[in-house]
Amino acid sequence: MLDDVLRGIRGHYFSMPEWARAIVGGVYGLLPFRVRMGSTFTEFVQLLEKSRHWSLDQIRAYQYRELKRTIELAYGHIPFYRRHFARAGVTPADLTCLEDIARFPFLTKTDIQEHLGEMTADHIPAWRRLTTATGGSTTEPMRFWHMKGVTRSKEKAFIWNQWERFGYRPRARTVLLKGREAGDPRRGIFWEREPIDNFLAMNSSHLTEAHLPAYLDAMERFRPEFMIGYVSSIHLLARYLKRHPERAAPKFRAIFLASETVYHRQRAELEGVFRCPVSSHYGHSEMVLLGTECPRDRQLHFCPQYGLLELLDENGKPVSEPGAVGELVGTSFHNPVMPFVRYRTQDYGTLGESRCACHPHHPTLQAVEGRLQEFIVTRDRRLIPISVMCSANIDALDKVYQTQYYQDTPGTLVFKITPRPGFREEDRQQIRRAIAEKVGMEVDVRLVANIPRTKSGKHLMIEQRIPLNVFRNSHDPDSRR
């Protein structure tokens, strides 16, 4: 697609003066989508429409065809997989049904880091590769390849399919609050118009008490219909509006959250302040699996047309009991440059209890509990998901601006806070006692001036310095308190 072809020169576009970007971006944004995104985008849109009412047998047949294609391509064209499968004693002939995927070996992040040069298909020219990397929120950063004209077209088709259920349409007036370095902060301008998609891109690095009124004024002038962003950034805006009821909240038709784990307390505050639907999705830079929420059901529905999901326990066996926790393992479809076969995401989810009427045959998870690096390690080496802490009701946290957990020693936890005016020592002690009771370990509550974000603008709920891979097999869902 044209978007991928021009991706390499986007730095020049963003360095243009705002008036020049308004002209160039405005003209480009008016191009037909079939030109900007290519025929692949249209093909995936048609697939989603065609498969809307597929039976379970039809879904399984489609997944088997795509899985077989992925396995055969990996074995026939990628040196790493030929050796990887040989060590496990399997070939594509061993895949006769979906369940046979369990016979194939796992792919880890370490495998990719150490063997990237041997993991690209030998029959696809280098110019078709699109270099991608994981974001700053992972403890194991890595680089990998997607297929130009395919992978990002597919992602956009699936995400827009979710957003359309909430009334979104391409180029609707939308606020983007997602880690972008926008505007000219030295002049008190923390936003800029993005004419290609008709976004008001806002800088998420200056969401302070002093600057938030200017953000709200800019939104009021822009008159947006939707907001897309990191929950940690939008949550700061919501908390400001709760403290200042004299300020009217922007009227959004829906808020779409991305790239960060969404905790119950955050979602409840966003819905209470903005009084509109709040929808999240599960995805990752590798683009192996995609789970979306629909307006009827808060569970994550994993798109069977996108990739194959396995939810596995600590012994590598499928999780079958609703409410049980397992690791998300995925096999990619539609990435012939560098397929992912049984990729261990290091993300953990809770198996769903019911099927939604809109997609009764899609696998569902109640929630993704968190990335592997978002767990607290107890002294006896149990893993506690950070989502448990985010559900705690601690009154003193209303006097806190931002928080972050930090851990570098099992059994000891640091809780960093940036206090608001009026925060007292007894508040600090209340927080310390509540967290210590919840996790059963020593807790040090530290007051800090600010909590820096990652390079991509995300807020890490926990800065985990312990290499959690060594504790993976000790993960016990019953340890969640």
Side-chain angles (χ1 to χ4, degrees):
M1 65 178 181
L2 189 56
D3 276 12
D4 280 350
V5 174
L6 298 177
R7 189 174 174 84
I9 62 171
R10 60 182 177 173
H12 298 290
Y13 169 74
F14 287 117
S15 66
M16 289 179 177
E18 189 170 353
W19 64 266
R21 269 189 285 122
I23 296 172
V24 174
V27 172
Y28 184 74
L30 293 175
L31 290 176
F33 287 120
R34 64 180 179 275
V35 176
R36 281 184 53 191
M37 301 177 200
S39 60
T40 306
F41 174 81
T42 303
E43 290 169 6
F44 282 116
V45 169
Q46 292 171 345
L47 169 65
L48 286 165
E49 181 61 33
K50 180 176 66 175
S51 61
R52 187 186 299 271
H53 301 295
W54 273 357
S55 67
L56 180 59
D57 287 343
Q58 288 174 304
I59 289 173
R60 286 177 59 85
Y62 176 84
Q63 285 202 302
Y64 176 71
R65 288 195 303 272
E66 292 301 327
L67 182 61
K68 188 76 170 178
R69 183 177 290 120
T70 296
I71 295 292
E72 289 177 344
L73 185 148
Y75 186 80
H77 294 281
I78 298 176
F80 168 82
Y81 278 117
R82 281 196 291 272
R83 294 196 311 274
H84 196 49
F85 291 173
R87 283 194 295 267
V90 291
T91 70
D94 292 302
L95 187 79
T96 61
C97 62
L98 285 176
E99 287 71 23
D100 283 342
I101 191 62
R103 304 176 65 178
F104 288 77
F106 294 114
L107 176 70
T108 67
K109 295 178 187 290
T110 301
D111 290 331
I112 296 171
Q113 290 169 321
E114 295 180 353
H115 303 285
L116 179 63
E118 302 174 284
M119 294 193 68
T120 52
D122 57 19
H123 67 304
I124 296 177
W127 66 269
R128 295 298 307 273
R129 303 174 191 166
L130 185 66
T131 307
T132 312
T134 51
S137 61
T138 177
T139 56
E140 295 182 76
M142 61 183 188
R143 187 165 57 94
F144 42 88
W145 306 100
H146 288 320
M147 182 82 165
K148 281 184 181 177
V150 176
T151 313
R152 291 178 64 245
S153 295
K154 168 187 171 180
E155 181 81 355
K156 189 155 286 190
F158 276 79
I159 294 297
W160 281 5
N161 180 260
Q162 176 206 5
W163 291 353
E164 283 171 358
R165 302 178 202 176
F166 296 86
Y168 181 82
R169 64 198 182 283
R171 304 196 83 247
R173 299 173 73 87
T174 301
V175 170
L176 183 70
L177 193 55
K178 198 183 172 192
R180 176 87 165 265
E181 292 296 325
D184 187 352
R186 292 171 299 179
R187 296 170 51 211
I189 301 172
F190 309 102
W191 52 83
E192 60 192 27
R193 291 289 295 269
E194 175 44 77
I196 294 177
D197 293 307
N198 201 21
F199 287 166
L200 180 66
M202 307 196 90
N203 195 316
S204 60
S205 300
H206 299 274
L207 295 168
T208 64
E209 193 85 7
H211 296 144
L212 280 168
Y215 279 80
L216 289 167
D217 290 343
M219 290 185 204
E220 185 176 345
R221 292 191 297 270
F222 183 62
R223 295 178 290 108
E225 296 182 70
F226 300 93
M227 174 179 270
I228 301 169
Y230 296 153
V231 64
S232 61
S233 297
I234 303 174
H235 189 230
L236 290 175
L237 183 64
R239 297 193 74 184
Y240 176 86
L241 288 165
K242 282 184 67 177
R243 294 192 300 270
H244 297 274
E246 72 279 5
R247 290 289 316 228
K251 297 183 183 300
F252 299 117
R253 294 179 62 183
I255 295 174
F256 304 124
L257 306 177
S259 304
E260 291 181 333
T261 302
V262 182
Y263 302 107
H264 297 302
R265 184 170 181 173
Q266 293 172 319
R267 184 193 291 271
E269 288 198 291
L270 263 55
E271 290 177 336
V273 169
F274 296 108
R275 301 187 179 280
C276 70
V278 175
S279 179
S280 179
H281 71 268
Y282 168 84
H284 41 219
S285 301
E286 297 89 321
M287 298 187 189
V288 178
L289 299 170
L290 181 69
T292 65
E293 296 176 351
C294 81
R296 304 182 189 180
D297 192 341
R298 285 283 173 78
Q299 294 188 112
L300 286 166
H301 302 213
F302 277 76
C303 306
Q305 315 94 321
Y306 191 97
L308 180 70
L309 167 68
E310 299 175 79
L311 190 68
L312 305 180
D313 64 20
E314 61 270 20
N315 298 313
K317 303 299 182 183
V319 171
S320 57
E321 291 295 322
V325 174
E327 182 181 6
L328 280 70
V329 174
T331 299
S332 65
F333 299 159
H334 319 115
N335 184 8
V337 168
M338 183 179 165
F340 290 73
V341 177
R342 302 203 81 197
Y343 174 57
R344 301 193 72 154
T345 65
Q346 298 187 358
D347 295 342
Y348 289 83
T350 305
L351 188 63
E353 294 184 349
S354 61
R355 303 294 187 188
C356 179
C358 67
H359 292 116
H361 304 304
H362 289 197
T364 59
L365 299 185
Q366 292 178 23
V368 173
E369 297 284 354
R371 297 343 193 205
L372 180 62
Q373 66 267 19
E374 292 179 340
F375 285 79
I376 297 168
V377 183
T378 66
R379 194 175 302 279
D380 58 354
R381 303 303 197 263
R382 289 178 296 111
L383 301 184
I384 300 175
I386 198 68
S387 57
V388 171
M389 298 310 306
C390 294
S391 65
N393 292 315
I394 305 173
D395 292 339
L397 289 178
D398 291 335
K399 300 178 182 180
V400 168
Y401 186 63
Q402 283 185 299
T403 67
Q404 184 184 64
Y405 294 90
Y406 173 89
Q407 189 176 34
D408 58 18
T409 304
T412 301
L413 188 65
V414 174
F415 188 55
K416 301 177 184 179
I417 62 174
T418 55
R420 294 185 48 74
F423 187 87
R424 299 174 297 177
E425 174 61 20
E426 50 260 48
D427 298 319
R428 190 176 76 87
Q429 292 300 331
Q430 181 199 28
I431 293 170
R432 185 192 62 78
R433 287 192 299 269
I435 296 175
E437 180 180 350
K438 196 82 171 175
V439 298
M441 64 175 69
E442 299 176 30
V443 178
D444 177 17
V445 178
R446 296 180 187 173
L447 277 60
V448 297
N450 69 295
I451 296 173
R453 292 175 176 267
T454 67
K455 291 181 180 179
S456 58
K458 297 179 184 178
H459 170 73
L460 296 184
M461 191 63 70
I462 179 170
E463 185 180 352
Q464 182 54 268
R465 296 288 181 165
I466 301 172
L468 296 191
N469 284 340
V470 301
F471 301 121
R472 176 185 293 153
N473 290 334
S474 66
H475 175 60
D476 179 4
D478 295 331
S479 69
R480 293 177 293 151
R481 295 170 180 246

